[in-house]
Amino acid sequence: FFVVDEVHKTLNDTLRTSIAWEIAHLSRDFVVLTGTPVIDNDTHKLIGWLKQVVPFEVNRKNFWTAANAMIAKTVNTGIRVDDKDIVAEFTPREEQEYHPLVPPALGGSNTNPRHEDWVKAADICYQVCDREMVKLTIQLLGRGVMVVARDSKHQEILYRMLARRVSPKDIFVMKTGDSIFLTDDAVEEGKVHGYKIVIVPQRKAEGYTLTYLSAMVTSVYPGNNATREQLRGRINRISQRSDDVVYRTVHTGLLTTLLHNHNSAKNLSIALKGLAHQIKV
């Protein structure tokens, strides 16, 4: 009997994926588990697994029919979700610097943007978003806030901005090898400090719990849908005592376009999960 946890890591064309398929095919039976079955806009990456659980050939035309056989149960924590996208505002100077870098389709004047122009435009957008992220974090501080950064360099930028407003001892910056079990019980028992802010890199989406916090503030970063959903799950878990959790996604300029692409994958994930029977906990 073969069990694959976090099966969304076996969807792309890799050696790991081909070996997992082969072992599943050779086993008497198998179960695959994930809370994030969609990693991008191409849900058909699941066809390799679906072929092994239905008695007919699977293709793009009958994909959703086959998907009914794969999805069985999904957990509903019963926690209310307050999810909003926030548009960050450019200053006049930032707007003046941004427009010559992007094409007319994005409101700019550059008819032939180079790679360097895109990089500079993105840097300006993130600079604008950083201010709004810090502002929102301070507003939500009473809930405790998980702040998602682009990478370790971005973590340090956000830390310095937040440390001017909040005591540094109440801010935890999660590094690559770190883990933390920040729950109400752990804080009450003195096992961990009751941090008000935890800053995590967007690539670190597993292996820790932050249910002592009930808000998440992020921007729009390149990456897959599974990672984004896993990050949201750090605060929306069974150990969450709050009746609701708050999610705020900050965007502006070209990051707004990227957010629209992310939402396409998000909607596909919602549709796929809609095939499952919910287990309320």
PDB file of all heavy atoms in Angstrom, residues 1-4 16-30 49 52:
ATOM      1  N   PHE A   1       0.860  -1.186   0.000  1.00  0.00           N
ATOM      2  CA  PHE A   1       0.000   0.000   0.000  1.00  0.00           C
ATOM      3  C   PHE A   1       0.891   1.227   0.000  1.00  0.00           C
ATOM      4  O   PHE A   1       1.780   1.359   0.841  1.00  0.00           O
ATOM      5  CB  PHE A   1      -0.898  -0.003   1.244  1.00  0.00           C
ATOM      6  CG  PHE A   1      -2.000   1.011   1.180  1.00  0.00           C
ATOM      7  CD1 PHE A   1      -3.217   0.700   0.581  1.00  0.00           C
ATOM      8  CD2 PHE A   1      -1.825   2.278   1.711  1.00  0.00           C
ATOM      9  CE1 PHE A   1      -4.239   1.649   0.518  1.00  0.00           C
ATOM     10  CE2 PHE A   1      -2.828   3.218   1.660  1.00  0.00           C
ATOM     11  CZ  PHE A   1      -4.048   2.901   1.056  1.00  0.00           C
ATOM     12  N   PHE A   2       0.661   2.142  -0.933  1.00  0.00           N
ATOM     13  CA  PHE A   2       1.532   3.297  -1.150  1.00  0.00           C
ATOM     14  C   PHE A   2       0.800   4.584  -0.763  1.00  0.00           C
ATOM     15  O   PHE A   2      -0.331   4.813  -1.190  1.00  0.00           O
ATOM     16  CB  PHE A   2       1.936   3.336  -2.627  1.00  0.00           C
ATOM     17  CG  PHE A   2       2.912   4.419  -2.999  1.00  0.00           C
ATOM     18  CD1 PHE A   2       4.017   4.708  -2.223  1.00  0.00           C
ATOM     19  CD2 PHE A   2       2.726   5.147  -4.168  1.00  0.00           C
ATOM     20  CE1 PHE A   2       4.918   5.702  -2.581  1.00  0.00           C
ATOM     21  CE2 PHE A   2       3.620   6.139  -4.546  1.00  0.00           C
ATOM     22  CZ  PHE A   2       4.718   6.410  -3.746  1.00  0.00           C
ATOM     23  N   VAL A   3       1.424   5.407   0.089  1.00  0.00           N
ATOM     24  CA  VAL A   3       0.836   6.675   0.511  1.00  0.00           C
ATOM     25  C   VAL A   3       1.754   7.823   0.093  1.00  0.00           C
ATOM     26  O   VAL A   3       2.956   7.790   0.377  1.00  0.00           O
ATOM     27  CB  VAL A   3       0.632   6.730   2.042  1.00  0.00           C
ATOM     28  CG1 VAL A   3       0.005   8.075   2.443  1.00  0.00           C
ATOM     29  CG2 VAL A   3      -0.251   5.576   2.505  1.00  0.00           C
ATOM     30  N   VAL A   4       1.198   8.818  -0.602  1.00  0.00           N
ATOM     31  CA  VAL A   4       1.975   9.993  -1.009  1.00  0.00           C
ATOM     32  C   VAL A   4       1.376  11.224  -0.335  1.00  0.00           C
ATOM     33  O   VAL A   4       0.245  11.611  -0.638  1.00  0.00           O
ATOM     34  CB  VAL A   4       1.951  10.190  -2.542  1.00  0.00           C
ATOM     35  CG1 VAL A   4       2.875  11.350  -2.926  1.00  0.00           C
ATOM     36  CG2 VAL A   4       2.361   8.924  -3.259  1.00  0.00           C
ATOM     37  N   ARG A  16      11.078  12.734  -9.612  1.00  0.00           N
ATOM     38  CA  ARG A  16      10.243  12.424  -8.445  1.00  0.00           C
ATOM     39  C   ARG A  16       8.834  12.005  -8.887  1.00  0.00           C
ATOM     40  O   ARG A  16       8.276  11.020  -8.399  1.00  0.00           O
ATOM     41  CB  ARG A  16      10.157  13.641  -7.530  1.00  0.00           C
ATOM     42  CG  ARG A  16       9.202  13.456  -6.354  1.00  0.00           C
ATOM     43  CD  ARG A  16       8.886  14.770  -5.685  1.00  0.00           C
ATOM     44  NE  ARG A  16      10.034  15.315  -4.986  1.00  0.00           N
ATOM     45  CZ  ARG A  16      10.092  16.551  -4.508  1.00  0.00           C
ATOM     46  NH1 ARG A  16       9.073  17.366  -4.676  1.00  0.00           N
ATOM     47  NH2 ARG A  16      11.156  16.982  -3.873  1.00  0.00           N
ATOM     48  N   THR A  17       8.269  12.760  -9.833  1.00  0.00           N
ATOM     49  CA  THR A  17       6.921  12.463 -10.316  1.00  0.00           C
ATOM     50  C   THR A  17       6.854  11.102 -11.001  1.00  0.00           C
ATOM     51  O   THR A  17       5.967  10.286 -10.725  1.00  0.00           O
ATOM     52  CB  THR A  17       6.448  13.557 -11.296  1.00  0.00           C
ATOM     53  OG1 THR A  17       6.417  14.817 -10.610  1.00  0.00           O
ATOM     54  CG2 THR A  17       5.061  13.245 -11.837  1.00  0.00           C
ATOM     55  N   SER A  18       7.796  10.826 -11.901  1.00  0.00           N
ATOM     56  CA  SER A  18       7.763   9.565 -12.648  1.00  0.00           C
ATOM     57  C   SER A  18       7.932   8.361 -11.728  1.00  0.00           C
ATOM     58  O   SER A  18       7.280   7.326 -11.910  1.00  0.00           O
ATOM     59  CB  SER A  18       8.847   9.565 -13.736  1.00  0.00           C
ATOM     60  OG  SER A  18      10.134   9.663 -13.166  1.00  0.00           O
ATOM     61  N   ILE A  19       8.776   8.483 -10.698  1.00  0.00           N
ATOM     62  CA  ILE A  19       8.975   7.379  -9.757  1.00  0.00           C
ATOM     63  C   ILE A  19       7.713   7.170  -8.913  1.00  0.00           C
ATOM     64  O   ILE A  19       7.301   6.032  -8.658  1.00  0.00           O
ATOM     65  CB  ILE A  19      10.202   7.651  -8.859  1.00  0.00           C
ATOM     66  CG1 ILE A  19      11.486   7.541  -9.692  1.00  0.00           C
ATOM     67  CG2 ILE A  19      10.240   6.674  -7.685  1.00  0.00           C
ATOM     68  CD1 ILE A  19      12.741   7.895  -8.944  1.00  0.00           C
ATOM     69  N   ALA A  20       7.085   8.262  -8.490  1.00  0.00           N
ATOM     70  CA  ALA A  20       5.851   8.156  -7.696  1.00  0.00           C
ATOM     71  C   ALA A  20       4.753   7.471  -8.510  1.00  0.00           C
ATOM     72  O   ALA A  20       4.042   6.594  -7.996  1.00  0.00           O
ATOM     73  CB  ALA A  20       5.393   9.542  -7.242  1.00  0.00           C
ATOM     74  N   TRP A  21       4.616   7.826  -9.777  1.00  0.00           N
ATOM     75  CA  TRP A  21       3.619   7.176 -10.642  1.00  0.00           C
ATOM     76  C   TRP A  21       3.898   5.683 -10.791  1.00  0.00           C
ATOM     77  O   TRP A  21       3.002   4.857 -10.748  1.00  0.00           O
ATOM     78  CB  TRP A  21       3.630   7.814 -12.029  1.00  0.00           C
ATOM     79  CG  TRP A  21       2.992   9.165 -12.101  1.00  0.00           C
ATOM     80  CD1 TRP A  21       2.267   9.790 -11.115  1.00  0.00           C
ATOM     81  CD2 TRP A  21       3.019  10.062 -13.207  1.00  0.00           C
ATOM     82  NE1 TRP A  21       1.855  11.025 -11.541  1.00  0.00           N
ATOM     83  CE2 TRP A  21       2.286  11.222 -12.819  1.00  0.00           C
ATOM     84  CE3 TRP A  21       3.588  10.020 -14.472  1.00  0.00           C
ATOM     85  CZ2 TRP A  21       2.115  12.308 -13.677  1.00  0.00           C
ATOM     86  CZ3 TRP A  21       3.406  11.097 -15.332  1.00  0.00           C
ATOM     87  CH2 TRP A  21       2.686  12.229 -14.934  1.00  0.00           C
ATOM     88  N   GLU A  22       5.192   5.357 -10.960  1.00  0.00           N
ATOM     89  CA  GLU A  22       5.561   3.958 -11.167  1.00  0.00           C
ATOM     90  C   GLU A  22       5.261   3.123  -9.927  1.00  0.00           C
ATOM     91  O   GLU A  22       4.714   2.019 -10.017  1.00  0.00           O
ATOM     92  CB  GLU A  22       7.051   3.849 -11.529  1.00  0.00           C
ATOM     93  CG  GLU A  22       7.496   2.437 -11.839  1.00  0.00           C
ATOM     94  CD  GLU A  22       8.941   2.367 -12.290  1.00  0.00           C
ATOM     95  OE1 GLU A  22       9.575   3.429 -12.423  1.00  0.00           O
ATOM     96  OE2 GLU A  22       9.435   1.245 -12.504  1.00  0.00           O
ATOM     97  N   ILE A  23       5.616   3.645  -8.744  1.00  0.00           N
ATOM     98  CA  ILE A  23       5.357   2.905  -7.503  1.00  0.00           C
ATOM     99  C   ILE A  23       3.846   2.744  -7.294  1.00  0.00           C
ATOM    100  O   ILE A  23       3.371   1.671  -6.890  1.00  0.00           O
ATOM    101  CB  ILE A  23       5.987   3.620  -6.293  1.00  0.00           C
ATOM    102  CG1 ILE A  23       7.514   3.643  -6.438  1.00  0.00           C
ATOM    103  CG2 ILE A  23       5.612   2.920  -4.992  1.00  0.00           C
ATOM    104  CD1 ILE A  23       8.214   4.454  -5.362  1.00  0.00           C
ATOM    105  N   ALA A  24       3.080   3.802  -7.575  1.00  0.00           N
ATOM    106  CA  ALA A  24       1.623   3.722  -7.432  1.00  0.00           C
ATOM    107  C   ALA A  24       1.053   2.654  -8.367  1.00  0.00           C
ATOM    108  O   ALA A  24       0.144   1.903  -7.992  1.00  0.00           O
ATOM    109  CB  ALA A  24       0.997   5.085  -7.718  1.00  0.00           C
ATOM    110  N   HIS A  25       1.577   2.595  -9.586  1.00  0.00           N
ATOM    111  CA  HIS A  25       1.097   1.617 -10.566  1.00  0.00           C
ATOM    112  C   HIS A  25       1.405   0.190 -10.126  1.00  0.00           C
ATOM    113  O   HIS A  25       0.612  -0.737 -10.346  1.00  0.00           O
ATOM    114  CB  HIS A  25       1.752   1.900 -11.921  1.00  0.00           C
ATOM    115  CG  HIS A  25       1.324   0.955 -13.005  1.00  0.00           C
ATOM    116  ND1 HIS A  25       0.055   0.969 -13.550  1.00  0.00           N
ATOM    117  CD2 HIS A  25       2.001  -0.047 -13.634  1.00  0.00           C
ATOM    118  CE1 HIS A  25      -0.033   0.018 -14.470  1.00  0.00           C
ATOM    119  NE2 HIS A  25       1.127  -0.608 -14.541  1.00  0.00           N
ATOM    120  N   LEU A  26       2.554  -0.008  -9.452  1.00  0.00           N
ATOM    121  CA  LEU A  26       2.968  -1.339  -9.024  1.00  0.00           C
ATOM    122  C   LEU A  26       2.334  -1.775  -7.705  1.00  0.00           C
ATOM    123  O   LEU A  26       2.339  -2.958  -7.371  1.00  0.00           O
ATOM    124  CB  LEU A  26       4.501  -1.393  -8.891  1.00  0.00           C
ATOM    125  CG  LEU A  26       5.303  -1.219 -10.185  1.00  0.00           C
ATOM    126  CD1 LEU A  26       6.788  -1.086  -9.877  1.00  0.00           C
ATOM    127  CD2 LEU A  26       5.060  -2.403 -11.127  1.00  0.00           C
ATOM    128  N   SER A  27       1.790  -0.830  -6.954  1.00  0.00           N
ATOM    129  CA  SER A  27       1.237  -1.163  -5.636  1.00  0.00           C
ATOM    130  C   SER A  27      -0.156  -1.779  -5.752  1.00  0.00           C
ATOM    131  O   SER A  27      -0.848  -1.613  -6.748  1.00  0.00           O
ATOM    132  CB  SER A  27       1.168   0.102  -4.764  1.00  0.00           C
ATOM    133  OG  SER A  27       0.251   1.023  -5.304  1.00  0.00           O
ATOM    134  N   ARG A  28      -0.559  -2.504  -4.698  1.00  0.00           N
ATOM    135  CA  ARG A  28      -1.906  -3.083  -4.649  1.00  0.00           C
ATOM    136  C   ARG A  28      -2.955  -1.971  -4.619  1.00  0.00           C
ATOM    137  O   ARG A  28      -3.997  -2.050  -5.244  1.00  0.00           O
ATOM    138  CB  ARG A  28      -2.027  -3.982  -3.406  1.00  0.00           C
ATOM    139  CG  ARG A  28      -3.400  -4.621  -3.207  1.00  0.00           C
ATOM    140  CD  ARG A  28      -3.694  -5.656  -4.280  1.00  0.00           C
ATOM    141  NE  ARG A  28      -2.755  -6.767  -4.192  1.00  0.00           N
ATOM    142  CZ  ARG A  28      -2.889  -7.839  -3.410  1.00  0.00           C
ATOM    143  NH1 ARG A  28      -3.932  -7.936  -2.613  1.00  0.00           N
ATOM    144  NH2 ARG A  28      -1.987  -8.803  -3.430  1.00  0.00           N
ATOM    145  N   ASP A  29      -2.657  -0.919  -3.867  1.00  0.00           N
ATOM    146  CA  ASP A  29      -3.536   0.240  -3.793  1.00  0.00           C
ATOM    147  C   ASP A  29      -2.720   1.420  -3.294  1.00  0.00           C
ATOM    148  O   ASP A  29      -1.617   1.252  -2.762  1.00  0.00           O
ATOM    149  CB  ASP A  29      -4.709  -0.025  -2.846  1.00  0.00           C
ATOM    150  CG  ASP A  29      -5.939   0.827  -3.212  1.00  0.00           C
ATOM    151  OD1 ASP A  29      -5.788   1.747  -4.048  1.00  0.00           O
ATOM    152  OD2 ASP A  29      -7.022   0.572  -2.660  1.00  0.00           O
ATOM    153  N   PHE A  30      -3.234   2.625  -3.445  1.00  0.00           N
ATOM    154  CA  PHE A  30      -2.491   3.798  -2.988  1.00  0.00           C
ATOM    155  C   PHE A  30      -3.443   4.932  -2.626  1.00  0.00           C
ATOM    156  O   PHE A  30      -4.604   4.956  -3.042  1.00  0.00           O
ATOM    157  CB  PHE A  30      -1.494   4.264  -4.052  1.00  0.00           C
ATOM    158  CG  PHE A  30      -2.134   4.857  -5.286  1.00  0.00           C
ATOM    159  CD1 PHE A  30      -2.382   6.223  -5.365  1.00  0.00           C
ATOM    160  CD2 PHE A  30      -2.484   4.054  -6.367  1.00  0.00           C
ATOM    161  CE1 PHE A  30      -2.977   6.777  -6.492  1.00  0.00           C
ATOM    162  CE2 PHE A  30      -3.072   4.597  -7.494  1.00  0.00           C
ATOM    163  CZ  PHE A  30      -3.323   5.962  -7.561  1.00  0.00           C
ATOM    164  N   TRP A  49      -2.081  11.140 -12.378  1.00  0.00           N
ATOM    165  CA  TRP A  49      -2.632  10.435 -11.219  1.00  0.00           C
ATOM    166  C   TRP A  49      -4.037   9.921 -11.505  1.00  0.00           C
ATOM    167  O   TRP A  49      -4.399   8.816 -11.117  1.00  0.00           O
ATOM    168  CB  TRP A  49      -2.646  11.357  -9.992  1.00  0.00           C
ATOM    169  CG  TRP A  49      -1.291  11.529  -9.391  1.00  0.00           C
ATOM    170  CD1 TRP A  49      -0.492  12.625  -9.445  1.00  0.00           C
ATOM    171  CD2 TRP A  49      -0.559  10.543  -8.648  1.00  0.00           C
ATOM    172  NE1 TRP A  49       0.696  12.397  -8.797  1.00  0.00           N
ATOM    173  CE2 TRP A  49       0.672  11.125  -8.286  1.00  0.00           C
ATOM    174  CE3 TRP A  49      -0.831   9.232  -8.260  1.00  0.00           C
ATOM    175  CZ2 TRP A  49       1.631  10.438  -7.553  1.00  0.00           C
ATOM    176  CZ3 TRP A  49       0.130   8.549  -7.517  1.00  0.00           C
ATOM    177  CH2 TRP A  49       1.339   9.153  -7.176  1.00  0.00           C
ATOM    178  N   GLN A  52      -4.695   6.531 -13.021  1.00  0.00           N
ATOM    179  CA  GLN A  52      -4.494   5.341 -12.204  1.00  0.00           C
ATOM    180  C   GLN A  52      -5.673   5.040 -11.279  1.00  0.00           C
ATOM    181  O   GLN A  52      -5.648   4.047 -10.553  1.00  0.00           O
ATOM    182  CB  GLN A  52      -3.207   5.488 -11.383  1.00  0.00           C
ATOM    183  CG  GLN A  52      -1.996   5.774 -12.257  1.00  0.00           C
ATOM    184  CD  GLN A  52      -0.695   5.510 -11.534  1.00  0.00           C
ATOM    185  OE1 GLN A  52      -0.479   4.426 -11.004  1.00  0.00           O
ATOM    186  NE2 GLN A  52       0.187   6.487 -11.530  1.00  0.00           N
TER     187      GLN A  52
END
